[in-house]
Amino acid sequence: MADTNLQKLSSNKTFNGELIKYKFKSAALGGLDAQFNLYLPPQSTVVKVPLLVYLSGLTCTEDNGAQKGGFFEAASKQGVAILFPDTSPRGAGIPGEDDDWDFGTGAGFYLNATNPKYSKHYNMLTHVTIELPQIMEAAGLPIDFKRQSIFGHSMGGHGALTLYLASATQQYKSASAFSPISNPMKCPWGEKAFKGYLQGGIEEAKLRYDATELIARRKDPVHILIDYGTGDNFYIQGQLLPENFLNAARGAGHDESHVRVRRHEGYDHSYYFISTFASDHVLYHAGFLKI
């Protein structure tokens, strides 16, 4: 059980709500200190509000989405809280974990590692889906955990889609992603992560950590929105593969009302792109979170 004593590190008022940074010792991450940001809209002072979880991409921390995403105006109006977890454990001291920017620190890929070298600390799936809600609920934060949705960017888009699609409890009501790694089994980033973190490598990942594989097997209705830009270098290099996800979704019978993938001419991989469509995503989720 994680330490339920949250340490409040900072607080900033924004759009009549409050952005708070917290720190605690994470059992899921092997006893390391973990930090997260939580935006509470003004409505949270009188009622419990729904929660939207934002997962950042490679090299990011809990701060990138909070500082650059442009989500708070819409979240304030809609009465939705936003949680910003970190992207990996910090300070595990595993040999080689800081050798590459796309693996190890800052690159946890939102999975639970089964390779013994990483399995003590690299458990971002449990950290995000179980530990953080438990920690926040134990602290008495004004969140209605029966109403959760999830979104993310790049590696975090991969995380949002897979955590949504693989949840046996259907924890999240909807998912969306900016420039997600949509078919990681078939791109260099995903292959590297899966072969490193998972004892069973690509074959193990196929069951739980590839959104294209998961949507192909999902027959019940889903609620997914994806945006990507044609000027995105990582899209051009074949790291994202959103068409693979869309084709698999349509093949499984998910039409435009269930899975919507939007292609935007000229936009890149940056937070300039994310902030352009930030309010679209918050409003998309608010439609499901308010039900």
Side-chain angles (χ1 to χ4, degrees):
M1 181 67 181
D3 179 359
T4 57
N5 294 316
L6 286 179
Q7 180 183 351
K8 188 174 180 178
L9 300 179
S10 64
S11 174
N12 298 93
K13 186 171 182 177
T14 179
F15 291 100
N16 295 311
E18 185 179 16
L19 178 67
I20 310 166
K21 180 186 283 291
Y22 289 106
K23 176 182 176 180
F24 73 102
K25 286 203 176 295
S26 167
L29 305 184
L32 298 174
D33 286 338
Q35 296 185 171
F36 65 91
N37 286 304
L38 178 67
Y39 176 71
L40 292 173
Q43 296 86 343
S44 68
T45 60
V46 291
V47 296
K48 289 187 176 182
V49 294
L51 181 68
L52 181 54
V53 181
Y54 177 81
L55 305 180
S56 287
L58 289 165
T59 75
C60 292
T61 70
E62 71 280 0
D63 291 331
N64 295 73
Q67 294 175 354
K68 301 178 182 180
F71 304 119
F72 297 141
E73 183 174 12
S76 175
K77 290 178 179 177
Q78 296 298 319
V80 174
I82 306 183
L83 169 66
F84 300 89
D86 203 345
T87 55
S88 77
R90 302 277 166 176
I94 301 169
E97 73 173 337
D98 295 323
D99 289 354
D100 299 313
W101 67 275
D102 56 355
F103 184 85
T105 303
F109 268 82
Y110 304 103
L111 49 73
N112 283 346
T114 54
N115 179 342
K117 182 177 179 179
Y118 298 100
S119 59
K120 179 180 178 181
H121 299 290
Y122 280 78
N123 298 299
M124 292 302 294
L125 185 153
T126 296
H127 178 66
V128 170
T129 62
I130 298 174
E131 185 174 50
L132 286 175
Q134 287 180 347
I135 291 292
M136 292 190 291
E137 189 168 27
L141 295 175
I143 304 294
D144 178 359
F145 292 99
K146 293 181 180 178
R147 292 184 292 159
Q148 296 185 59
S149 288
I150 191 165
F151 68 151
H153 170 231
S154 193
M155 177 186 71
H158 144 77
L161 295 175
T162 56
L163 296 188
Y164 171 72
L165 289 168
S167 172
T169 61
Q170 297 187 331
Q171 180 172 354
Y172 305 107
K173 294 183 176 294
S174 53
S176 71
F178 304 92
S179 315
I181 306 173
S182 304
N183 195 183
M185 288 171 50
K186 296 186 177 179
C187 77
W189 280 343
E191 290 178 5
K192 183 175 184 177
F194 296 153
K195 290 176 181 178
Y197 292 129
L198 302 178
Q199 202 162 24
I202 299 295
E203 284 304 306
E204 183 178 344
K206 184 176 183 178
L207 300 174
R208 193 168 189 180
Y209 300 122
D210 188 297
T212 296
E213 293 289 330
L214 289 168
I215 195 66
R217 301 195 298 265
R218 182 75 174 259
K219 299 304 178 184
D220 53 319
V222 296
H223 307 294
I224 294 173
L225 170 66
I226 293 174
D227 284 316
Y228 71 95
T230 61
D232 185 327
N233 285 336
F234 299 119
Y235 167 68
I236 295 167
Q237 293 167 13
Q239 295 279 18
L240 307 182
L241 306 173
E243 293 92 349
N244 291 10
F245 180 83
L246 180 60
N247 290 337
R250 295 292 183 260
H254 302 291
D255 62 20
E256 183 80 1
S257 67
H258 295 157
V259 175
R260 188 175 184 189
V261 178
R262 305 191 301 187
R263 171 187 172 103
H264 302 280
E265 293 298 324
Y267 281 93
D268 61 20
H269 202 71
S270 72
Y271 271 89
Y272 298 113
F273 166 61
I274 295 171
S275 61
T276 300
F277 300 99
S279 60
D280 286 4
H281 284 243
V282 174
L283 291 171
Y284 175 77
H285 293 296
F288 300 103
L289 291 170
K290 291 184 174 182
I291 296 174

